[in-house]
Amino acid sequence: VKYILLICGDESAAMHAGEGCSGWTEEMQGRGILLQAAGLRPASDATTVRVRDHDVHLFDGPFAETKEQVGGFCLIDCADLDEAIDIAAKHPASAYGTIEIRPLAHA
Amino acid sequence: MRGDVAITAAEVFQDEWGRVVATVIRDTGDWSLAEECTQDAFTLALERWRDDGIPDRPGAWLTTVARRRAIDRVRRNAIGDAKLHDIAMMSETAADGADGEPDGIDDERLRLMFTCCHPALAVDAQIALTLRMLGGLSTAEIARAFLVSEETMGKRLGRAKQKIRHAGIPFRVPPPQMLPTRIPPLLAVIYLLFNEGYSASSGAGLMRPELTREAIRLARVLAQLLPEEPEASGLLALMLLHDARRATRVDDVGDLVTLEDQERTLWDLAEVGEGVLFLERALEKGRAGAYQIQAAIAACHSTAARAADTDWAQIAALYGQLGRVAPSPVVELNRAVAVAMAHGPAAGLCLIDSLAESKRLNGYHLLHATRADLLRRLERHADAADAYRSAVELARCDTECRYLRRRLIETTARC
């Protein structure tokens, strides 16, 4: 099953951005689980777009103003949710932020 | 004769429902299909068994019929699907009527229990799924028990089944290293079910016996399937010991009767005996957890022939132990009551006062009610009246309020 791990955190989590994943990435790549991953620029650099009645509406900022914001993602492929939970719990961001596990709709 | 078949069939259904559903889920991975095919098999059974009598192995009969239905349905829906190969394999075993060894079936049921109580599902959903899939209660029955509309309950169940399927929640007994974190939620769901039936926080009657019965039934299965897990037997013991007193908990007008005033000759002694037996078996493992300790406390009460015979010193010690395993201010309060019963009101009051100082339970009417009772017994009537007043203000239940007001009037008269 393919899952996206959405790495979320508040502003303090941004301090960890430069730390890397202390071996997590290498381990998951080595096990053939991690398909793709990226960290994101902060939500202050986000632009939101909506088209309503053919008008393009732009908004400076993320789609929802919440304390925690998405700061990165990992695309993984593993056996089931239990394995995905185990993988997410090993990610260093789980210790200071929150990781949302979302199954892909067609994978 | 026909009536007998219907009654026996009802018992068989209750025992077999979870096993049949679990087996079909294992074969097809489709929860809704499993439910429907099991329902079909049970309907057919009722017709056939009326004429032919109940087969020797009704569980095997039901499993075979449900699996055949499932195979037919999958075939019709998925011609050309790669799954067909698996289904072809499966139909051979189904045709044999081979439903595996009894132990194998029980494993299926255990898988089903663990999956229904997967921590990635909300607790509400875990409870509903457990009742539907393992207990065989209908959506309408579950909705009634939890006072929500059938539509709401149907959606809750539907969402949960969908999440299991789409989020990839595995249908299995978790590997040994996961059991320490996965068994407690399973026991918690069963205990919640029991409490919902036993204390009925809501609804017309004070008790809903169908829920307590189902919780005990599931705990029996679990205790049997997890013989190395003493908390499973401990939970079963705890529920049996409480359930044994059910006939005496409420009086003719529906008011709660305190343990002290319950008519002990009406307690179900066979059930008490069974509870004690399971407790002893659990304690032999030497790993006493919260359920075993609570069961031991319940056993102290249930085995005392008269209220005056209660071994309060032992109960106080057990609450002390419980407080170390599962610390909570309510446990502290209960310990204080036991200490007061064993060693006098002054000793109990000492503990209650330090608990009141910590301010963790000051919104809880029973803290004040207990304090008031001890002060009254120490003849500090003015202080007792103050404490009764606080208790009355905080009490939410009419019955308790009436009782506390009566005590307040008595105490004020003696000031």
Side-chain angles (χ1 to χ4, degrees), chain B residues 9-27 31 34-35 37-39 41-42 58-59 62-63 66-67 102 104-116 129-137 171 214 217-218 221 225:
Chain B
E11 282 167 12
V12 169
F13 288 0
Q14 218 169 37
D15 289 344
E16 302 296 340
W17 173 275
R19 292 181 199 196
V20 180
V21 169
T23 307
V24 181
I25 291 176
R26 183 204 57 196
D27 289 343
W31 287 55
E35 257 181 285
C37 294
T38 306
Q39 190 68 61
F42 281 37
L62 288 162
T63 306
R67 291 172 89 190
I105 301 176
D106 285 343
D107 281 347
E108 297 310 322
R109 213 161 22 155
L110 193 56
R111 282 184 204 205
L112 184 55
M113 265 195 219
F114 272 109
T115 311
C116 287
L129 266 185
T130 303
L131 283 174
R132 175 75 194 119
M133 295 296 169
L134 280 148
L137 271 70
F171 184 65
E214 188 53 33
R217 213 179 57 81
L218 289 173
V221 174
L225 297 181

Side-chain angles (χ1 to χ4, degrees), chain A residues 1-3 79-85 103-105, chain B residues 118 120 163 166-170 172 174-175 178 182:
Chain A
V1 192
K2 287 191 178 121
Y3 301 90
D80 54 40
L81 186 63
D82 280 345
E83 195 180 6
I85 291 169
L104 264 60
Chain B
H118 195 282
K163 179 162 183 185
H166 292 145
I169 292 177
R172 65 168 182 188
M178 287 177 82
R182 294 289 305 278

Side-chain angles (χ1 to χ4, degrees), chain B residues 185-204:
Chain B
L186 203 70
L187 300 177
V189 162
I190 294 176
Y191 196 38
L192 272 173
L193 259 179
F194 179 81
N195 281 324
E196 195 52 42
Y198 195 66
S199 25
S201 54
S202 46

Side-chain angles (χ1 to χ4, degrees), chain B residues 42-255:
Chain B
F42 281 37
T43 309
L44 187 68
L46 208 52
E47 289 169 17
R48 290 277 178 84
W49 297 359
R50 264 184 199 147
D51 299 333
D52 307 346
I54 295 177
D56 291 340
R57 294 172 63 212
W61 192 99
L62 288 162
T63 306
T64 305
V65 172
R67 291 172 89 190
R68 280 202 184 121
R69 294 249 158 176
I71 295 162
D72 287 348
R73 291 270 298 272
V74 173
R75 274 206 184 120
R76 256 181 287 148
N77 295 341
I79 299 294
D81 195 298
K83 232 182 168 181
L84 216 55
H85 174 72
D86 302 341
I87 296 297
M89 302 281 290
M90 170 184 135
S91 59
E92 272 165 35
T93 47
D96 294 343
D99 53 353
E101 295 302 305
D103 287 343
I105 301 176
D106 285 343
D107 281 347
E108 297 310 322
R109 213 161 22 155
L110 193 56
R111 282 184 204 205
L112 184 55
M113 265 195 219
F114 272 109
T115 311
C116 287
C117 297
H118 195 282
L121 299 169
V123 172
D124 279 359
Q126 293 177 24
I127 295 172
L129 266 185
T130 303
L131 283 174
R132 175 75 194 119
M133 295 296 169
L134 280 148
L137 271 70
S138 71
T139 306
E141 284 172 314
I142 304 168
R144 257 202 311 282
F146 289 93
L147 299 173
V148 299
S149 70
E150 195 176 337
E151 194 193 349
T152 304
M153 188 50 77
K155 278 187 189 151
R156 189 180 297 172
L157 284 164
R159 266 199 305 272
K161 282 185 281 180
Q162 208 161 35
K163 179 162 183 185
I164 289 170
R165 182 183 183 141
H166 292 145
I169 292 177
F171 184 65
R172 65 168 182 188
V173 174
Q177 76 271 16
M178 287 177 82
L179 287 179
T181 56
R182 294 289 305 278
I183 288 175
L186 203 70
L187 300 177
V189 162
I190 294 176
Y191 196 38
L192 272 173
L193 259 179
F194 179 81
N195 281 324
E196 195 52 42
Y198 195 66
S199 25
S201 54
S202 46
L206 267 162
M207 288 193 268
R208 263 167 286 163
E210 72 279 9
L211 292 184
T212 52
R213 219 178 303 130
E214 188 53 33
I216 290 175
R217 213 179 57 81
L218 289 173
R220 253 185 228 287
V221 174
L222 202 58
Q224 189 197 336
L225 297 181
L226 296 171
E228 290 309 308
E229 179 46 62
E231 280 291 83
S233 306
L235 174 62
L236 175 59
L238 173 61
M239 296 193 300
L240 288 169
L241 290 164
H242 277 299
D243 192 57
R245 302 200 295 256
R246 72 185 175 282
T248 62
R249 285 181 69 237
V250 179
D251 67 14
D252 298 339
V253 292
D255 278 352

Side-chain angles (χ1 to χ4, degrees), chain B residues 205-373:
Chain B
L206 267 162
M207 288 193 268
R208 263 167 286 163
E210 72 279 9
L211 292 184
T212 52
R213 219 178 303 130
E214 188 53 33
I216 290 175
R217 213 179 57 81
L218 289 173
R220 253 185 228 287
V221 174
L222 202 58
Q224 189 197 336
L225 297 181
L226 296 171
E228 290 309 308
E229 179 46 62
E231 280 291 83
S233 306
L235 174 62
L236 175 59
L238 173 61
M239 296 193 300
L240 288 169
L241 290 164
H242 277 299
D243 192 57
R245 302 200 295 256
R246 72 185 175 282
T248 62
R249 285 181 69 237
V250 179
D251 67 14
D252 298 339
V253 292
D255 278 352
L256 276 173
V257 180
T258 60
L259 199 50
E260 199 185 340
D261 295 329
Q262 287 177 14
E263 180 48 58
R264 290 174 186 237
T265 53
L266 296 178
W267 288 355
D268 184 337
L269 289 183
E271 209 173 357
V272 170
E274 203 193 356
V276 170
L277 195 74
F278 275 107
L279 175 60
E280 283 169 353
R281 212 180 285 168
L283 290 172
E284 275 169 16
K285 302 269 177 219
R287 286 178 281 138
Y291 293 118
Q292 293 167 75
I293 300 169
Q294 291 176 80
I297 294 168
C300 284
H301 289 299
S302 300
T303 54
R306 296 170 308 160
D309 298 335
T310 311
D311 186 351
W312 286 104
Q314 171 73 2
I315 292 174
L318 286 166
Y319 273 118
Q321 201 186 347
L322 183 59
R324 286 189 293 278
V325 175
S328 109
V330 174
V331 170
E332 272 303 289
L333 178 61
N334 286 326
R335 185 166 82 95
V337 173
V339 166
M341 294 300 287
H343 309 296
L349 188 62
C350 195
L351 291 174
I352 298 239
D353 283 342
S354 59
L355 189 57
E357 242 166 64
S358 76
K359 298 204 187 307
R360 284 180 301 170
L361 264 191
N362 286 8
Y364 188 47
H365 66 284
L366 288 182
L367 175 80
H368 302 282
T370 309
R371 201 165 162 270
D373 185 54

